[in-house]
């Protein structure tokens, strides 16, 4: 439940103080983005003892119940796109003496050799200025400890934000994931392999506010379930960032077998990928997705030369987004490790693109070559076959 309440508080209430940045630049649309951010915060913490969630000026505050530990809440907030930074904080009445006493209690159990007080007086009619608050609280802290004041690199920062009817105090500021709240940027369909790249591509588009539907092609009955199991686990990881996901598992082996029978070896990989786009596009239309997402990186493999990328994308009428196109493998791997998908992606499997693959693949394909290669294929039938055989799974987080 989201509340605007700002009643004066004498007893401190603990929770998470959340700041946003990019959302603040949205002008008249800011309310739309904030509403989605609030919905995502509640979704991310729905199994924890948290709430209410309030919207004090320019920030959010999520109260923590007695049954919730910060160690449980912290990783949840670190994955909610739209958050610039967040802090374990307490809120109470904007009374300087009450604040000083409470801060004394808080710091008395901490070990630090240097500190600073960083007060921000958003309530301009508050009797003391920000500097006066800094000096008064700083003197009280020094009275109970031997720490020195260090304004540039302190061991401890006492941060105070004073609003008209309440004041927030916190001692650390943690980086959020930034970006825009998932659900504000439309829906996309991501072609998810079992490799390193495509999960990172999906994650980057989530960060821009997009909700992702996943489409994974596997080679059953000619391969085992390893790639499907990997896809499910990858989507399980990525669902921690968007809270609900749908994954389509598309059997592609028989379609590949027909391509092998009718298309020369060097062009088969391009035929596979063009058919994948056609099938994914049909699923995208069903899901209301406005574009497709791939994990392609220019020049990384033979099918990702600029000529082949152009030849492949002609099979789709939807826009194709490639958020990794200018990244190298080290950069992508580093992001996969940060997302949490890397260890799953490197599990060996029988990927459908490695099945029925010729020794040499075309790297510079012309539109005329593609047109001639596809003539023996009943593209409409193969596309409908792939879509009809797709099996969907629903995943959610938490749970």
């Amino acid at each position: 439940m989201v509340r605007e309440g700002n009643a004066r508080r004498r007893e401190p209430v603990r929770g998470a103080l959340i700041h946003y940045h990019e959302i603040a630049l949205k002008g008249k649309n800011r309310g739309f983005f904030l509403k989605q951010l609030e919905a995502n915060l509640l979704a991310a913490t729905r199994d924890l003892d948290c709430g209410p969630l309030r919207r004090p000026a320019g920030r959010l505050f999520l109260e923590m119940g007695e049954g919730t530990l910060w160690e449980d809440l912290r990783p949840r907030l670190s994955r909610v796109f739209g958050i610039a930074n967040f802090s374990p904080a307490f809120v109470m009445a904007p009374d300087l003496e009450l604040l000083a006493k409470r801060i004394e209690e808080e710091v008395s159990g901490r070990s630090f050799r240097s500190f600073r007080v960083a007060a921000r007086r958003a309530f301009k009619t508050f009797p003391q200025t920000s500097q006066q608050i800094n000096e008064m609280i700083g003197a009280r802290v020094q009275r109970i400890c031997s720490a020195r004041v260090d304004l540039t690199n302190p061991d401890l920062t006492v941060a105070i934000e004073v609003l008209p009817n309440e004041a927030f105090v916190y001692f650390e500021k943690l980086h959020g994931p930034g970006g825009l709240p998932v659900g504000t940027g439309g829906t996309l369909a991501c072609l998810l392999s079992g490799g390193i790249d495509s999960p990172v591509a999906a994650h980057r588009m989530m960060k821009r506010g997009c909700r992702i539907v996943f489409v994974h092609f596997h080679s059953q009955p000619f391969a085992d379930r390893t790639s499907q199991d990997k896809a499910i686990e990858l989507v399980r990881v990525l669902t921690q960032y968007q809270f609900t996901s749908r994954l389509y598992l598309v059997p592609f082996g028989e379609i590949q077998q027909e391509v092998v029978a009718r298309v020369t070896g060097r062009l088969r990989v391009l035929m596979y990928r063009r058919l994948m786009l056609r099938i994914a596009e049909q699923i995208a239309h069903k899901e209301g997705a406005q574009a497709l997402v791939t994990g392609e990186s220019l020049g990384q493999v033979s099918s990702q030369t600029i000529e082949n990328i152009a030849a492949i994308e002609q099979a789709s009428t939807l826009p194709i987004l490639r958020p990794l196109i200018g990244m190298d493998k080290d950069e992508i791997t580093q992001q996969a490790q940060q997302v949490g998908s890397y260890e799953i992606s490197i599990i060996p499997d029988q990927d459908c693109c490695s099945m029925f693959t010729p020794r040499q693949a075309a790297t510079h394909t012309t539109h005329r070559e593609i047109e001639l290669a596809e003539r023996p294929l009943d593209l409409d039938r193969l596309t409908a076959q792939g879509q009809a055989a797709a099996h969907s799974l629903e995943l959610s987080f938490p749970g």
Side-chain angles (χ1 to χ4, degrees):
M1 176 168 52
V2 179
R3 296 179 183 171
E4 298 286 349
N6 57 3
R8 294 177 65 88
R9 301 171 180 269
R10 298 187 68 84
E11 293 300 321
V13 175
R14 294 192 177 276
L17 183 63
I18 299 162
H19 293 92
Y20 46 86
H21 172 63
E22 192 169 351
I23 293 175
L25 308 177
K26 293 300 179 181
K28 294 180 180 180
N29 293 322
R30 186 183 309 164
F32 165 71
F33 288 88
L34 279 175
K35 185 176 181 180
Q36 187 63 58
L37 176 57
E38 291 166 347
N40 292 350
L41 282 165
L42 294 175
T45 59
R46 61 175 175 255
D47 63 331
L48 301 178
D49 181 14
C50 293
L53 173 62
R54 301 189 296 107
R55 194 192 294 183
R59 47 188 68 70
L60 297 171
F61 185 72
L62 178 63
E63 293 186 15
M64 292 171 53
E66 294 182 1
T68 297
L69 300 175
W70 178 248
E71 291 75 15
D72 297 324
L73 182 57
R74 174 176 175 169
R76 305 290 183 90
L77 299 181
S78 70
R79 293 189 290 260
V80 178
F81 290 121
I83 296 178
N85 60 74
F86 61 98
S87 305
F90 63 85
V91 56
M92 57 186 300
D95 181 291
L96 194 54
E97 181 58 29
L98 291 175
L99 283 167
K101 289 181 179 179
R102 187 64 195 185
I103 290 170
E104 286 177 343
E105 294 176 12
E106 292 285 334
V107 301
S108 62
R110 297 173 180 262
S111 176
F112 56 97
R113 292 182 295 180
S114 61
F115 77 98
R116 69 167 180 161
V117 181
R120 181 182 175 190
R121 188 189 62 158
F123 177 27
K124 298 306 180 184
T125 58
F126 189 74
Q128 289 80 23
T129 65
S130 297
Q131 182 58 32
Q132 288 171 333
I133 297 171
N134 290 341
E135 293 171 356
M136 188 272 199
I137 298 295
R140 296 285 286 267
V141 172
Q142 277 197 309
R143 192 175 70 183
I144 63 170
C145 68
S146 57
R148 61 183 175 83
V149 174
D150 184 343
L151 299 181
T152 56
N153 190 31
D155 293 335
L156 178 72
T157 295
V158 181
I160 306 169
E161 297 183 11
V162 181
L163 301 182
N165 292 292
E166 55 192 351
F168 297 91
V169 178
Y170 53 96
F171 302 96
E172 62 177 323
K173 182 183 290 187
L174 304 169
H175 289 294
L180 297 172
V182 171
T184 60
T187 302
L188 308 176
C190 177
L191 281 73
L192 183 77
S193 71
I196 297 171
D197 302 340
S198 53
V200 176
H203 181 267
R204 289 176 69 90
M205 296 315 301
M206 288 179 188
K207 188 172 182 177
R208 300 315 305 156
C210 298
R211 188 170 299 282
I212 306 296
V213 174
F214 299 93
V215 184
H216 174 73
F217 294 87
H218 61 86
S219 286
Q220 278 199 317
F222 304 104
D224 61 24
R225 280 193 51 87
T226 307
S227 79
Q228 296 177 69
D229 293 339
K230 283 179 63 177
I232 292 169
E233 291 307 310
L234 288 169
V235 173
R236 200 182 306 280
V237 168
L238 292 166
T239 302
Q240 296 177 85
Y241 298 89
Q242 67 174 12
F243 318 118
T244 59
S245 296
R246 182 171 293 138
L247 165 64
Y248 284 86
L249 298 169
V250 183
F252 200 63
E254 292 180 355
I255 295 174
Q256 284 181 281
Q257 193 176 44
E258 187 159 339
V259 172
V260 169
R262 299 177 183 277
V263 177
T264 182
R266 59 187 296 272
L267 295 177
R268 287 174 192 162
V269 173
L270 299 184
M271 295 300 103
Y272 300 155
R273 295 193 179 279
R274 283 171 63 91
L275 278 163
M276 287 178 181
L277 286 186
R278 289 186 171 97
I279 295 168
E281 180 175 303
Q282 294 304 308
I283 293 172
H285 288 315
K286 177 182 176 181
E287 291 290 333
Q290 296 108 320
L292 303 179
V293 180
T294 72
E296 291 166 309
S297 171
L298 185 62
Q300 189 176 114
V301 295
S302 60
S303 65
Q304 295 175 16
T305 64
I306 193 66
E307 292 89 350
N308 284 353
I309 287 174
I312 291 168
E313 75 175 7
Q314 290 169 357
S316 173
T317 61
L318 286 177
I320 300 176
L321 307 182
R322 302 178 178 89
L324 312 186
I325 195 68
M327 298 176 65
D328 63 35
K329 198 65 177 182
D330 288 342
E331 293 170 318
I332 298 169
T333 297
Q334 183 180 13
Q335 289 201 10
Q337 291 168 337
Q338 294 169 352
V339 170
S341 60
Y342 177 76
E343 295 299 329
I344 301 170
S345 294
I346 62 175
I347 296 172
D349 71 313
Q350 295 175 299
D351 178 75
C352 70
C353 286
S354 63
M355 299 282 291
F356 308 111
T357 299
R359 292 183 180 179
Q360 284 191 329
T363 56
H364 303 287
T365 313
T366 66
H367 179 70
R368 178 62 175 167
E369 286 180 293
I370 293 293
E371 183 181 20
L372 290 173
E374 283 188 337
R375 281 184 182 178
L377 299 173
D378 187 341
L379 297 174
D380 291 340
R381 178 180 60 80
L382 293 174
T383 300
Q385 177 182 329
Q387 181 190 2
H391 171 63
S392 66
L393 297 174
E394 306 288 334
L395 295 94
S396 63
F397 179 85

